[in-house]
Amino acid sequence: MSGASVPLVQASDLRKHFPVRGGLFGKPRGAVRAVDGVSFTIGRGRTLGLVGESGCGKSTLGRVLLRLMEPTAGSVRFDGVDLSELTAGELRRMRRHLQIIFQDPYASLNPRMRVGAIVAEGLEIHGLARGEEKCDRVIEMLRLVGLRDDACDRYPHEFSGGQRQRICIARALAVGPRFIVADEPVSALDVSVQAQVINLLQDLQERLDLAYLFISHDLHIVEHVSHTVAIMYLGRIVETAPRDALFARARHPYTQALLSAVPSTAPVRDRQRVVLTGDVPSPMHPPPGCAFHPRCPYAEERCRVEEPPLRFGAGEHGVACHVFPAPESEDGSRYTDGEGRA
């Protein structure tokens, strides 16, 4: 296999279960299945948008992907290297290529450190620059994200929310990463500032050939920034497809419900609103069969007992649903298993 065909990031059957203990002796009572069998790939210079309700496991998945949390099962390969097989020293050296931008830019910045020291911290940890070279690199990163040189001597509280997020981006970029997990990077910002930060991230992707996992619950933003979109529900991916295909021809009832709830200028009579009933099940006690069946208006008996696998059809469109499977492939078969086998 040629190097060009190897995806930059490849997650295989990733799982992260948090044990729950109780009683006098703290005996195990079960586990919260935050991430429960997730697989996907991200190519160089591409963006995978990850969408889902709060509590579905999106942020946990991002942290497991970077080994900020150890997975319960499954593997992550970065540029062909299995991260689980790396020693502590090897993982430390690899981390410069794997960075994260957190949701709250103020909480993720040390209020006691000046901005110059914050951006330079990664350079010092990885031994990438010293002295005047380090200062030049910090200035270069601040300019790259649209901040002035004098920002180096100021503290995070002296900046607006959008400027603080630019500082977080500069910190991530300073060590020369190739892959960035953007965990709801604009949800804490004013709407007027969100577009500026989104445009900045896209510009940096083009200039630096960055790959992103873009986590969000805002479908408008995901549609704007993503090449491929994955919909997550209760720790599992229930639908994934190239952006245009998913927004034009969503198959899974959960995806349809999310899209129907997006505000639109279209007349109400021209839109079909899918209203979900009930609450999201507990990730500690997911229902049998399809986890979405208690809220699905199309659920059949099979959905209540048999868990649908994520199967792929035409145009790399994958759906985990018995009622609405992936669209038929060009050769007439209904779907494949994602590896070209019928």
Side-chain angles (χ1 to χ4, degrees), residues 298-313:
Y298 309 106
E300 301 175 348
E301 184 59 33
R302 182 183 181 186
C303 304
R304 298 177 175 86
V305 296
E306 183 181 341
E307 182 178 312
L310 182 66
R311 292 185 171 178
F312 286 79

Side-chain angles (χ1 to χ4, degrees), residues 46-51 186 194-203 205-206 212 214 216 218-229 242-244 246-247 259 262:
R46 308 290 286 180
T47 298
L48 171 64
L50 186 63
V51 184
V186 297
Q194 288 183 358
Q196 299 174 19
V197 175
I198 289 297
N199 290 336
L200 172 63
L201 289 171
Q202 289 186 299
D203 179 58
Q205 182 174 49
E206 292 181 8
Y212 293 141
F214 193 95
S216 180
D218 191 320
L219 285 164
H220 276 314
I221 293 176
V222 168
E223 184 177 16
H224 183 67
V225 305
S226 303
H227 297 97
T228 305
V229 179
R243 174 194 60 197
D244 294 342
L246 185 133
F247 280 88
L259 292 175
V262 175

